[in-house]
Amino acid sequence: MIAEYDARLWYDQIPLRRSVRAYDSRKVPDDTLDRLRPFLSGFSGLCRGARGVLLDDAGDVFTGIIASLGRITGVSTVAVFIGDTSVPEHMESVGYLGEGVILQATSLGLGTCWVAGTFNRNCTASRVKLGKNEKVVAVTPLGFPVEKEDAGHRLVRSLANSKKRKPLEAIFGGLPPEKWPPGCREALEAARLAPSALNRQPWFFEVTHGEITLSVQGAGSGYGSLKRLDCGIAMLHFEVAAKALGLEGHWELLKPPHVARFILHESGSGISQARG
Ligand SMILES: Cc1cc2nc3c(=O)[nH]c(=O)nc-3n(C[C@H](O)[C@H](O)[C@H](O)COP(=O)(O)O)c2cc1C
């Protein structure tokens, strides 16, 4: 379970976080990184099958033809997110753990950007010690954003359509909002703001009495898919909001095409008010 202090801190970061691709080359101080490190090995049972590693020199992580498409510049520190493929839900875990790390970094004044495509994967893998079933899933730069992005970075941002999100009505089904327990709307709103690869927002929430079921929208919902990583990020957002707002419950993982179900605890969840 996420600690209540972290949930409150991270909930406040959700509207502040955005993908940053242009950094000012300053090194991240060690004492700042020390406040990030504890989260890299996991902060909840849902992190099983995922871990993060810091590289204090980005080296060739953001060089090469593919990497140039994402134009990550001026960064020195990188967090590498690793999944254990022997755990079927490793992509959900990487999304969940990684987003905790990213919101913690945001709270420390650092810029971040999930990168699962436009980086040099082979070079990154050669710089971390991988276990037998482990693979590098994604990375994020960590650093201080430049004050003003150049035209190239602005172009990447607009191509990524970064600011747009689907309306809430497009991502939930089941009970109408007036029957939801207190805090449920805000938790879904927090999930709605989650970042996703190509900003495709592949999540759908079915709200019923006592639980909220998360599924992948569209094709490609199988274990190991990038859409399940996106859903892991949305799970983290939903849970921190729920915890910060007193909507008590916990996630239980489900098989594809579902991802997980958030089971509301009776005490303090307002379920009894919502029923009937
Ligand atoms: C799993 C994942 C993978 C991503 N991969 C890349 C990438 O390879 N290159 C890139 O420039 N941005 C990448 N992004 C960033 C998304 O484009 C960005 O999160 C999305 O457009 C929403 O914008 P925002 O993060 O500013 O809210 C990725 C995001 C996620 C969640």
Side-chain angles (χ1 to χ4, degrees):
M1 294 285 257
I2 302 171
E4 196 159 328
Y5 173 84
D6 297 328
R8 285 175 195 277
L9 180 69
W10 294 352
Y11 182 49
D12 290 342
Q13 310 310 310
I14 288 174
L16 305 177
R17 185 217 57 82
R18 65 186 181 96
S19 292
V20 175
R21 296 180 180 83
Y23 295 85
D24 69 4
S25 302
R26 269 183 295 156
K27 249 184 113 53
V28 181
D30 274 343
D31 56 342
T32 304
L33 293 179
D34 284 346
R35 292 171 64 191
L36 202 58
R37 275 186 233 280
F39 300 95
L40 296 167
S41 51
F43 44 81
S44 150
L46 286 169
C47 297
R48 195 178 80 90
R51 67 185 177 99
V53 172
L54 292 183
L55 300 177
D56 61 9
D57 165 14
D60 285 338
V61 172
F62 297 115
T63 60
I65 292 173
I66 294 178
S68 70
L69 299 172
R71 282 182 55 91
I72 307 279
T73 54
V75 66
S76 55
T77 308
V78 177
V80 182
F81 299 127
I82 295 166
D84 177 348
T85 60
S86 67
V87 176
E89 303 89 356
H90 64 277
M91 292 299 263
E92 295 86 315
S93 307
V94 169
Y96 184 93
L97 175 138
E99 189 65 1
V101 170
I102 278 182
L103 293 178
Q104 176 70 10
T106 308
S107 79
L108 296 168
L110 299 176
T112 62
C113 180
W114 273 100
V115 180
T118 55
F119 75 112
N120 190 330
R121 192 177 295 274
N122 290 344
C123 153
T124 308
S126 73
R127 302 222 5 235
V128 291
K129 213 169 173 242
L130 294 175
K132 192 168 146 241
N133 297 308
E134 285 187 328
K135 66 169 187 188
V136 170
V137 174
V139 297
T140 177
L142 296 166
F144 301 99
V146 291
E147 272 184 19
K148 200 166 183 297
E149 287 178 345
D150 63 21
H153 284 105
R154 287 202 299 277
L155 178 66
V156 172
R157 184 181 294 286
S158 80
L159 288 176
N161 215 357
S162 286
K163 282 211 179 109
K164 284 239 168 97
R165 290 295 186 273
K166 293 177 183 171
L168 193 59
E169 305 76 62
I171 62 161
F172 81 83
L175 288 176
E178 58 275 15
K179 298 235 165 133
W180 294 354
C184 186
R185 172 182 278 279
E186 291 81 355
L188 286 172
E189 185 58 33
R192 190 179 79 87
L193 296 180
S196 55
L198 303 171
N199 202 16
R200 63 191 156 187
Q201 308 158 59
W203 37 69
F204 191 78
F205 296 85
E206 185 78 16
V207 185
T208 54
H209 290 297
E211 54 190 49
I212 294 115
T213 303
L214 166 61
S215 307
V216 174
Q217 269 197 25
S221 65
Y223 283 134
S225 68
L226 204 53
K227 285 187 175 177
R228 295 186 85 83
L229 189 159
D230 294 331
C231 286
I233 298 176
M235 284 168 69
L236 187 284
H237 277 213
F238 184 97
E239 187 180 334
V240 298
K243 189 140 207 164
L245 299 167
L247 180 71
E248 287 176 34
H250 68 276
W251 284 112
E252 187 183 88
L253 294 169
L254 299 173
K255 292 200 167 84
H258 304 303
V259 177
R261 147 191 324 135
F262 193 78
I263 301 171
L264 298 171
H265 302 164
E266 290 280 335
S267 60
S269 69
I271 295 175
S272 49
Q273 283 161 257
R275 279 193 179 133

